Amino acid sequence: MSLLPAHWTSLLQTRALGRAVNHYEHTLTSTNLVLKDMARQGAPHGSLCLCECQTAGRGRMDRTWSSPEGQGVWLSVLLRPNMPVESAPLITFCCALAMTKAVRQVTSLDAKVKWPNDLVLQGKKLCGILLEMGFEAQGYYVVAGTGLNVRRGAYPPELAARATSIEECADIPDRGAIVAAYLAALEDALTAVEQHGFSGIAQDFRRECITLGSQVHVLGADNSFTGTAEDIDETGALLVRTESELRRVLAGDVSVRGVMGYV
Ligand code: BTN
């Protein structure tokens, strides 16, 4: 079944997300790029852009994101959050948490969050999140892009050692049901963070975060180190215990790898 809104909007249980503007095109460049244009033209909070196929899907750190036709859920949500811009990185956690819930609800699979913003399943990447921000006189907006691998063809074969898809672990799900569940969970998480900051989702996030308790290798611009990921603080920073100290690692500054492998 295609992701045409008519196929899944009856499942939608949100107040705003995916309601006012629900922009679907079979093929487009990148849902993030299209939605950023829409944001600049004044599209409202909750506007959604989704497609079957991206010709210029983008990942973090200027990487490309493979997005072949019908193989995944490629979508972006426009958020105009009611919280200070310093808290905006927490939206990454909201998206990751929301997608773990949506995947579990629809497929029963226990995907986990790799801090700060990947979903992993059996040690391989299932979903990536790309947040982009824009600033306007009246505030800021966030375009939150999510790429979920649903079928094996979602990622190129050369990534098979590091990437996975739902199809590899469960029946092929109704992608529309995942979109509806994701939007509902994202709206709840965002509201919690707007009201209470990270503590609004901290319990849920710590439970879903596979990084906590793991040995991690932190690759920074200037230095790198190894330690145990002990906790996440109220700003969302990862607290890593090295032999000599507890170090605060900020999302966006670093790449975190499990010492024993990809996760
Ligand atoms: C990552 O590098 O892990 C982030 C990948 C984000 C991919 C999604 S697919 C939908 C949205 N549109 C894009 O161009 N990128 C994001």
Side-chain angles (χ1 to χ4, degrees), residues 29-53:
T29 50
S30 149
T31 56
N32 267 38
L33 282 179
V34 170
L35 197 54
K36 277 196 291 181
D37 274 348
M38 291 166 58
R40 284 190 280 266
Q41 288 162 33
H45 172 73
S47 298
L48 174 71
C49 178
L50 77 172
C51 65
E52 301 296 336
C53 170

Side-chain angles (χ1 to χ4, degrees), residues 29-33 49 51 54 56-61 63-67 73-76 117-118 125 127-132 144-148:
T29 50
S30 149
T31 56
N32 267 38
L33 282 179
C49 178
C51 65
Q54 299 183 117
R58 297 158 63 235
R60 292 198 305 276
M61 296 181 234
R63 297 193 185 112
T64 58
W65 183 261
S66 152
S67 333
V73 174
W74 325 125
L75 65 75
S76 302
N117 51 4
D118 286 339
K125 181 157 166 171
C127 171
I129 294 162
L130 175 66
L131 245 62
E132 297 185 272
T146 310
L148 174 73

Side-chain angles (χ1 to χ4, degrees), residues 207-220:
R207 192 187 54 240
E208 302 298 347
C209 181
I210 202 168
T211 313
L212 290 181
S214 305
Q215 284 281 100
V216 294
H217 188 62
V218 180
L219 293 170

